[in-house]
Amino acid sequence: MGIEEKLPSGVLLTSVEKVVGWARARSVWPATFGLACCAIELMMTGGPRHDLARFGMEKTGSTPREADLMIVAGRVSQKMAPVLRQIYDQMAEPKWVISMGVCASSGGMFNNYAIVQGVDHIVPVDIYLPGCPPRPEMLMDAIFKLHDKILNTKLGPDRDEEITELEEARLNMLPLHVSAGINDLGSEL
Protein backbone atom coordinates (compact mmCIF):
# COMPACT_ATOMS: atom_id res chain seq x y z
CA MET A 1 0.00 0.00 0.00
CA GLY A 2 1.73 3.14 -1.22
CA ILE A 3 1.05 6.83 -1.13
CA GLU A 4 -0.69 6.61 -4.53
CA GLU A 5 -3.65 4.82 -2.95
CA LYS A 6 -4.11 7.45 -0.20
CA LEU A 7 -4.30 10.43 -2.59
CA PRO A 8 -7.56 11.51 -4.24
CA SER A 9 -7.95 10.82 -7.95
CA GLY A 10 -6.54 13.45 -10.26
CA VAL A 11 -3.38 14.07 -8.19
CA LEU A 12 -0.20 13.68 -10.22
CA LEU A 13 3.00 12.39 -8.65
CA THR A 14 6.32 13.05 -10.34
CA SER A 15 9.83 14.31 -9.65
CA VAL A 16 11.17 17.83 -10.09
CA GLU A 17 13.52 16.52 -12.81
CA LYS A 18 10.56 15.23 -14.84
CA VAL A 19 8.60 18.50 -14.52
CA VAL A 20 11.62 20.63 -15.45
CA GLY A 21 12.44 18.29 -18.35
CA TRP A 22 8.87 18.47 -19.61
CA ALA A 23 8.87 22.29 -19.40
CA ARG A 24 12.25 22.58 -21.15
CA ALA A 25 11.26 20.19 -23.93
CA ARG A 26 8.05 22.15 -24.60
CA SER A 27 9.75 25.54 -24.75
CA VAL A 28 12.82 25.10 -26.96
CA TRP A 29 13.64 28.33 -28.76
CA PRO A 30 15.88 27.81 -31.78
CA ALA A 31 18.60 30.07 -33.11
CA THR A 32 18.63 29.19 -36.77
CA PHE A 33 22.00 29.31 -38.47
CA GLY A 34 21.18 28.70 -42.13
CA LEU A 35 24.27 28.75 -44.33
CA ALA A 36 23.34 26.94 -47.55
CA CYS A 37 20.61 24.94 -49.29
CA CYS A 38 19.64 23.14 -46.06
CA ALA A 39 18.39 26.49 -44.78
CA ILE A 40 15.51 26.37 -47.30
CA GLU A 41 14.31 23.09 -45.77
CA LEU A 42 14.78 24.61 -42.31
CA MET A 43 12.54 27.54 -43.28
CA MET A 44 9.98 25.11 -44.69
CA THR A 45 9.77 23.41 -41.28
CA GLY A 46 8.51 26.65 -39.74
CA GLY A 47 5.86 27.05 -42.44
CA PRO A 48 2.18 26.13 -42.23
CA ARG A 49 2.56 22.56 -43.47
CA HIS A 50 4.90 21.44 -40.65
CA ASP A 51 4.25 24.21 -38.09
CA LEU A 52 6.90 24.08 -35.40
CA ALA A 53 4.67 26.29 -33.25
CA ARG A 54 2.70 23.19 -32.24
CA PHE A 55 5.76 22.09 -30.25
CA GLY A 56 6.54 25.36 -28.48
CA MET A 57 9.13 26.47 -31.04
CA GLU A 58 7.31 29.39 -32.64
CA LYS A 59 9.72 31.85 -31.05
CA THR A 60 13.01 31.94 -32.91
CA GLY A 61 15.71 33.67 -30.93
CA SER A 62 16.46 37.05 -32.44
CA THR A 63 19.53 37.12 -30.23
CA PRO A 64 21.60 34.16 -29.07
CA ARG A 65 20.79 35.02 -25.45
CA GLU A 66 17.13 34.12 -26.06
CA ALA A 67 17.84 30.78 -27.76
CA ASP A 68 18.69 27.37 -26.31
CA LEU A 69 18.82 25.33 -29.54
CA MET A 70 21.18 26.04 -32.44
CA ILE A 71 20.27 24.42 -35.75
CA VAL A 72 23.30 24.58 -38.05
CA ALA A 73 21.98 24.06 -41.58
CA GLY A 74 24.55 23.81 -44.37
CA ARG A 75 28.28 23.98 -44.89
CA VAL A 76 30.39 26.01 -42.48
CA SER A 77 33.32 27.89 -43.98
CA GLN A 78 36.52 28.59 -42.08
CA LYS A 79 35.60 32.29 -42.02
CA MET A 80 32.18 31.55 -40.51
CA ALA A 81 33.49 29.14 -37.82
CA PRO A 82 34.50 31.85 -35.28
CA VAL A 83 31.12 33.58 -35.71
CA LEU A 84 29.32 30.28 -35.14
CA ARG A 85 31.36 29.65 -31.98
CA GLN A 86 30.71 33.17 -30.70
CA ILE A 87 26.94 32.76 -31.14
CA TYR A 88 27.09 29.38 -29.39
CA ASP A 89 29.05 30.88 -26.47
CA GLN A 90 26.44 33.65 -26.09
CA MET A 91 23.56 31.16 -25.77
CA ALA A 92 22.24 30.51 -22.27
CA GLU A 93 22.68 27.13 -20.55
CA PRO A 94 21.39 24.53 -21.10
CA LYS A 95 21.93 24.62 -24.85
CA TRP A 96 21.65 22.05 -27.60
CA VAL A 97 22.88 21.79 -31.20
CA ILE A 98 21.41 20.01 -34.23
CA SER A 99 23.74 19.55 -37.18
CA MET A 100 21.41 19.61 -40.21
CA GLY A 101 22.62 18.07 -43.45
CA VAL A 102 25.66 16.18 -44.57
CA CYS A 103 27.66 19.39 -45.13
CA ALA A 104 27.22 20.56 -41.54
CA SER A 105 27.84 17.05 -40.17
CA SER A 106 30.93 16.08 -42.18
CA GLY A 107 31.74 18.72 -44.77
CA GLY A 108 29.77 16.86 -47.43
CA MET A 109 31.19 16.90 -50.94
CA PHE A 110 33.29 19.96 -50.10
CA ASN A 111 36.53 18.31 -48.99
CA ASN A 112 38.76 21.36 -49.28
CA TYR A 113 40.62 23.93 -47.21
CA ALA A 114 37.75 26.44 -47.08
CA ILE A 115 35.04 24.23 -45.49
CA VAL A 116 35.06 22.90 -41.91
CA GLN A 117 34.79 19.10 -42.07
CA GLY A 118 32.00 18.85 -39.52
CA VAL A 119 30.53 21.45 -37.21
CA ASP A 120 31.47 19.24 -34.26
CA HIS A 121 35.00 20.65 -34.63
CA ILE A 122 33.57 23.99 -33.48
CA VAL A 123 30.64 23.25 -31.14
CA PRO A 124 29.42 20.05 -29.42
CA VAL A 125 26.60 18.47 -31.43
CA ASP A 126 23.66 16.65 -29.82
CA ILE A 127 21.83 15.39 -32.93
CA TYR A 128 23.25 14.70 -36.39
CA LEU A 129 20.71 14.92 -39.20
CA PRO A 130 21.86 13.28 -42.47
CA GLY A 131 20.67 14.13 -45.95
CA CYS A 132 21.40 16.50 -48.80
CA PRO A 133 19.25 18.40 -48.01
CA PRO A 134 17.24 16.67 -45.30
CA ARG A 135 13.48 16.95 -45.61
CA PRO A 136 11.47 19.00 -43.08
CA GLU A 137 9.99 15.74 -41.75
CA MET A 138 13.51 14.56 -40.91
CA LEU A 139 14.19 17.78 -39.01
CA MET A 140 10.93 17.34 -37.10
CA ASP A 141 12.01 13.79 -36.18
CA ALA A 142 15.40 15.10 -34.99
CA ILE A 143 13.62 17.72 -32.86
CA PHE A 144 11.41 15.00 -31.34
CA LYS A 145 14.52 12.96 -30.50
CA LEU A 146 16.04 16.06 -28.92
CA HIS A 147 12.83 16.52 -26.89
CA ASP A 148 13.26 12.95 -25.58
CA LYS A 149 16.87 13.72 -24.69
CA ILE A 150 15.83 16.92 -22.87
CA LEU A 151 13.05 15.09 -20.99
CA ASN A 152 15.54 12.59 -19.61
CA THR A 153 18.27 15.08 -18.70
CA LYS A 154 19.19 15.10 -15.04
CA LEU A 155 19.62 18.24 -12.94
CA GLY A 156 22.38 19.69 -10.77
CA PRO A 157 25.37 17.55 -9.80
CA ASP A 158 23.63 14.48 -11.24
CA ARG A 159 23.75 16.16 -14.66
CA ASP A 160 27.49 16.79 -14.42
CA GLU A 161 28.01 13.16 -13.45
CA GLU A 162 25.80 11.98 -16.33
CA ILE A 163 27.75 14.12 -18.83
CA THR A 164 31.06 12.71 -17.55
CA GLU A 165 29.77 9.15 -17.85
CA LEU A 166 28.52 9.73 -21.40
CA GLU A 167 31.83 11.30 -22.47
CA GLU A 168 33.81 8.39 -21.02
CA ALA A 169 31.51 5.86 -22.69
CA ARG A 170 31.95 7.58 -26.06
CA LEU A 171 35.72 7.69 -25.67
CA ASN A 172 35.83 3.97 -24.84
CA MET A 173 33.60 2.93 -27.76
CA LEU A 174 35.12 0.67 -30.37
CA PRO A 175 35.11 1.89 -33.96
CA LEU A 176 32.14 0.78 -36.03
CA HIS A 177 34.32 -0.42 -38.88
CA VAL A 178 37.92 -1.56 -38.73
CA SER A 179 39.55 -1.34 -42.13
CA ALA A 180 41.91 -4.13 -43.13
CA GLY A 181 45.52 -3.15 -43.63
CA ILE A 182 47.70 -4.53 -46.38
CA ASN A 183 49.34 -6.95 -43.90
CA ASP A 184 45.96 -8.39 -42.90
CA LEU A 185 45.19 -9.48 -46.45
CA GLY A 186 48.28 -11.76 -46.62
CA SER A 187 47.04 -14.97 -48.25
CA GLU A 188 44.34 -13.24 -50.28
CA LEU A 189 46.90 -11.40 -52.45
Side-chain angles (χ1 to χ4, degrees), residues 99-136:
S99 175
M100 181 179 177
V102 70
C103 292
S105 299
S106 65
M109 65 192 99
F110 304 101
N111 190 9
N112 60 33
Y113 66 92
I115 303 298
V116 175
Q117 299 301 305
V119 75
D120 55 353
H121 292 287
I122 305 163
V123 295
V125 175
D126 295 295
I127 305 277
Y128 292 93
L129 180 58
C132 183
R135 298 278 308 139

Side-chain angles (χ1 to χ4, degrees), residues 131-159:
C132 183
R135 298 278 308 139
E137 294 86 3
M138 295 171 68
L139 179 57
M140 297 289 285
D141 184 56
I143 290 170
F144 295 149
K145 289 179 179 167
L146 183 66
H147 283 181
D148 289 340
K149 186 175 183 175
I150 294 169
L151 277 170
N152 297 316
T153 301
K154 297 184 178 183
L155 297 176
D158 293 335
R159 180 167 189 237

Side-chain angles (χ1 to χ4, degrees), residues 54-118:
R54 293 179 293 165
F55 309 106
M57 297 181 68
E58 68 273 0
K59 167 87 173 70
T60 57
S62 54
T63 71
R65 290 168 187 88
E66 294 177 352
D68 51 6
L69 168 64
M70 176 183 278
I71 302 174
V72 182
R75 58 189 177 270
V76 180
S77 66
Q78 295 288 351
K79 284 186 173 182
M80 191 56 72
V83 176
L84 179 85
R85 183 61 198 205
Q86 182 179 13
I87 290 172
Y88 177 80
D89 288 339
Q90 290 176 356
M91 290 170 58
E93 287 286 341
K95 51 191 167 188
W96 299 279
V97 176
I98 293 178
S99 175
M100 181 179 177
V102 70
C103 292
S105 299
S106 65
M109 65 192 99
F110 304 101
N111 190 9
N112 60 33
Y113 66 92
I115 303 298
V116 175
Q117 299 301 305

Side-chain angles (χ1 to χ4, degrees), residues 14-24 150-153 155:
T14 187
S15 66
V16 172
E17 282 183 346
K18 295 286 184 189
V19 170
V20 171
W22 181 85
R24 281 183 179 166
I150 294 169
L151 277 170
N152 297 316
T153 301
L155 297 176

